[in-house]
Every structure is written in C-alpha cells, then in structure tokens.
Amino acid sequence: MPVPLLDLRAQHATIKDDVLAAIHQVVESQAFILGKPVGQLECEVAGLSHTRYAVGCASGTDALLLALRALDIGAGDEVITTPFTFFATAGTIHNAGARPVFVDIEPRTFNIAPELVGGAVTSRTRAVMPVDLFGQMADLAAVAAAAPGLPLIEDAAQSIGARRQVDGEWRQAGEAATMGTFSFFPSKNLGGYGDGGMIVTQDEALYKRLMRLRTHGSVRDYHHEEVGYNSRLDALQAAVLLAKLPHLAAWSEARRANARYYDEAFADVAEVTTPYIAPEAESIYNQYTLRCDRRDELQATLKDRGIGSSIYYPLPLHLQPCFAYLGYRPGSCPEAERAAGEVLSLPVYPELSADQRDEVVGAVRSFYGR
Ligand SMILES: *Cc1c(COP(=O)(O)O)cnc(C)c1O
C-alpha cells in the first residue's frame, strides 16, 4: 500500500463541492483582485489568531518581506533568526537589504534557542525573527526577554492555529509577536490552491503600513507615499481558503492523533527520537519529524516500500552557498547541523488511514529489527 508524505487529492475529495462552489462564485463575479473574500478571510484569520488586524498578501515569503519593510528594516541592519528553517525566513532578510544573523536551535524542539539570542544582539540589530517550526510555537516570551525592546516577526508559516501557554494563558500563533506571518502554500495546514500569505498584528500603524506596502505604497489610487509591492492575495485563493478554514481545527486534531499513535508505536525503538512538544505548547504537526540513526538508509527503505518521507532541512541556512558572504563555517551552529543529519519527516496528514499509519509503523520498526 503506497503512503505518500502528503495527499492533497484525498483532502480535496472531502471538500470538493464547497471549494468548487466558492471558486464558481468568484468567477461569476469577475472580481479577482482583493475584494470581499479577501476581507472576510482577513477577519477570520485575525479572529483565529486573537489579533486586531490581518493583511492578505501573495505568499508566506512576501508576508515576511512586507513585515520587514513595515519596520523600515534595510541596509546596515541585522535581523536575528534560526538557521534551521525553510529558506524564505533568511532569504527575505537578505532581500530587504539587511543581514541575517543566525542563532543555533534548541535540540529538542528545533526552534531558536532563546538563551543564545542575547549574545547575538548588537547595536545594529533591528528585529528577531523566530520560526514556529513543524507546527510548534517557539518560546516567544523567552526570545522577547532575551532581546528587550526589539520587535519580533514570528514566522508562523507552518503553525496557523498553534498555541502556547504563557503564565497559564493560551496565546495563539501570531498573537504575541509584533507581527506574525502565515503561508497558504498548498502543503501548509491551511493550504490554498496556489500561493498566498497573511500578516497579523495588534498594531494599527503597522496594519496601515502593510496595507499600503502591498499595493505599490499607495493609499489613494495613483498617489504613492513610498515604493511598495504588488503583493495581494487573490480572491480565488481567499474563497478556497474560506471554504477550508472551518475544517482546520479538526484537521489539526487528526494530525495530533496520528502523532500520538506514532509516539506510542516508536516508544520502544531506541534508535529514533519522537518529536518533543513542550508541555505548555500544542502543535499542529505540519510535520511529524523524527531524529533517527542511519537516517538515509531508513529513508531509502521507506521509499522501497512506497512510503513517502522528507528531510526538512538537509543543509542549514548558515551553510548555504548564497550565504557564504556572511562568514559562517561548519560548527557555527552545531545543533542545527546535527539535526540536519538526523531528521526525517513521516506522513502525518489528516486523511491518513489506519492501515496506512500501520504500514509506516511496520516499516520503521522492522528497519530497526523490531
Ligand atoms: C512555507 C514557508 C515559508 C514561505 O511561504 P510561501 O508561501 O511558500 O512563500 C516561510 N517560512 C517557513 C518556515 C515556511 O515553512
């Protein structure tokens, strides 16, 4: 039985009528740029994130770039982030004209290590960009305490709807940062049928600035206060996302159930370490990521059995050829480098059947002789 890493067709089959009706409505209206569905989705996502404002844009990558630009971050500035993330996190810092400063990760959660952030702050540091990796929120309160007074841009591309307790109160992904960013790339927990992204914030001035930046820096048509971007969320994508949003909580719960099943099934396999979720955090498991012995051999064995898996991420960002100019070396971020050699993400998507789950469990267990 083949088990793909992600099966978007299986999900589409469960919501097809609603999604196609929503698309049809937009096509009939012929109003494709921004418009009603985008405004509605912004309201819904602000509600989910417990924020006052949300701004739709063209992608999760653009959400990060717009957030940096809204803080006037550019040439000569430094932004602290993690090297163990999707490329866009640091790529946008570079593209804004600023310098990415990489701080190593906490080995258990793979998120930025707050205790290392303070040591990376200089007079040029303008923001910290923690990432909520694999569906689990970073410890934002600890990051904020380590970098007092600096704005936080929370890259929550993989973590929409995730939450974490701070002093006994639940905080949603995006809620506590200066700005939080989401991606609607199809493989994210809330994926569109194409690219899309969103920024959330509690700050009215930043909200207005983001609205202006996404439409060429203009508030009034053909009058430009600054040079911005063409970075809007398509009405078609917003309509699809509105049809999918009511299912998001149940999908994330199904991912957590799959994760619990794997956790138990691998508990006696000493060669693998199952994901660590902090007791105060609730993950949405955009990925279920093991650390394992003989990782590449395990992945090849899974592939032979028709089981999809992936390595997120094989080369940490501080060692990417395009960032050689920053001067990092192997050993600069040892935990990120060790993780890159050990991680393997398994199928955890909500439509996974019990038989498919058992196929994955059986393959991993038998690889290690259990
Ligand atoms: C997916 C992702 C992005 C970029 O989102 P796009 O919508 O693909 O541009 C940024 N950061 C992280 C951590 C991501 O996983």
Side-chain angles (χ1 to χ4, degrees):
M1 179 194 342
V3 189
L5 180 61
L6 177 65
D7 189 349
L8 291 172
R9 275 183 297 192
Q11 180 158 93
H12 177 65
T14 69
I15 53 173
K16 192 172 176 175
D17 292 347
D18 289 347
V19 169
L20 293 182
I23 290 174
H24 186 78
Q25 225 178 0
V26 176
V27 171
E28 286 298 312
S29 79
Q30 288 291 299
F32 295 114
I33 304 299
L34 296 173
K36 231 163 109 186
V38 172
Q40 230 176 304
L41 184 71
E42 287 169 342
C43 276
E44 297 276 345
V45 172
L48 170 68
S49 311
H50 298 171
T51 60
R52 295 175 65 196
Y53 306 103
V55 178
C57 64
S59 67
T61 302
D62 272 11
L64 291 167
L65 184 61
L66 292 167
L68 288 160
R69 285 289 313 271
L71 293 169
D72 290 309
I73 289 172
D77 297 334
E78 294 176 355
V79 177
I80 294 171
T81 192
T82 162
F84 198 62
T85 174
F86 178 63
F87 179 74
T89 312
T92 52
I93 297 170
H94 170 98
N95 279 342
R99 191 179 176 87
V101 173
F102 293 112
V103 162
D104 207 359
I105 57 168
E106 240 174 36
R108 289 199 299 181
T109 62
F110 304 111
N111 282 326
I112 195 167
E115 69 274 16
L116 300 179
V117 168
V121 174
T122 74
S123 58
R124 291 175 299 281
T125 310
R126 298 293 315 283
V128 184
M129 199 187 267
V131 177
D132 300 334
L133 203 70
F134 301 150
Q136 173 172 213
M137 283 175 68
D139 187 348
L140 292 194
V143 171
L150 285 170
L152 295 190
I153 301 172
E154 179 182 1
D155 181 347
Q158 302 181 5
S159 296
I160 189 167
R163 49 186 198 157
R164 186 180 181 108
Q165 284 183 326
V166 181
D167 298 330
E169 292 217 31
W170 286 107
R171 301 283 180 213
Q172 296 292 122
E175 177 178 355
T178 310
M179 283 171 279
T181 66
F182 299 121
S183 164
F184 303 125
F185 186 80
S187 68
K188 305 294 158 91
N189 283 39
L190 181 64
Y193 286 19
D195 277 309
M198 199 166 279
I199 308 124
V200 292
T201 184
Q202 313 285 8
D203 185 308
E204 187 178 3
L206 287 174
Y207 164 68
K208 289 184 172 160
R209 187 81 188 279
L210 291 164
M211 292 290 275
R212 188 168 91 180
L213 281 165
R214 80 172 172 184
T215 51
H216 293 295
S218 84
V219 177
R220 191 154 60 99
D221 280 352
Y222 311 115
H223 294 74
H224 301 267
E225 313 303 320
E226 64 178 323
V227 180
Y229 300 88
N230 173 3
S231 184
R232 295 168 297 224
L233 182 62
D234 280 343
L236 278 170
Q237 295 307 332
V240 169
L241 292 162
L242 279 169
K244 291 184 76 172
L245 188 58
H247 303 281
L248 178 63
W251 287 332
S252 294
E253 189 50 49
R255 285 170 179 268
R256 281 191 288 273
N258 289 335
R260 281 193 297 271
Y261 191 83
Y262 285 145
D263 285 350
E264 282 179 28
F266 300 141
D268 63 334
V269 182
E271 293 89 343
V272 305
T273 306
T274 55
Y276 171 80
I277 307 301
E280 61 274 21
E282 183 179 73
S283 177
I284 62 161
Y285 285 98
N286 182 246
Q287 301 297 338
Y288 181 88
T289 304
L290 296 175
R291 271 186 198 264
C292 29
D293 273 2
R294 295 188 286 139
R295 189 264 320 269
D296 294 348
E297 263 180 83
L298 171 62
Q299 187 178 32
T301 303
L302 294 178
K303 186 168 179 234
D304 287 344
R305 293 183 59 159
I307 297 170
S309 67
S310 193
I311 298 166
Y312 301 118
Y313 295 92
L315 184 63
L317 300 189
H318 67 289
L319 300 180
Q320 294 287 342
C322 66
F323 290 136
Y325 74 93
L326 295 171
Y328 293 96
R329 293 275 175 273
S332 296
C333 297
E335 288 299 344
E337 292 162 32
R338 189 164 67 90
E342 295 178 354
V343 289
L344 191 65
S345 297
L346 299 180
V348 72
Y349 60 89
E351 298 78 18
L352 202 63
S353 71
D355 286 348
Q356 286 176 311
R357 234 166 37 180
D358 285 334
E359 182 81 11
V360 176
V361 166
V364 172
R365 290 185 62 86
S366 74
F367 175 78
Y368 292 113
R370 302 308 200 289

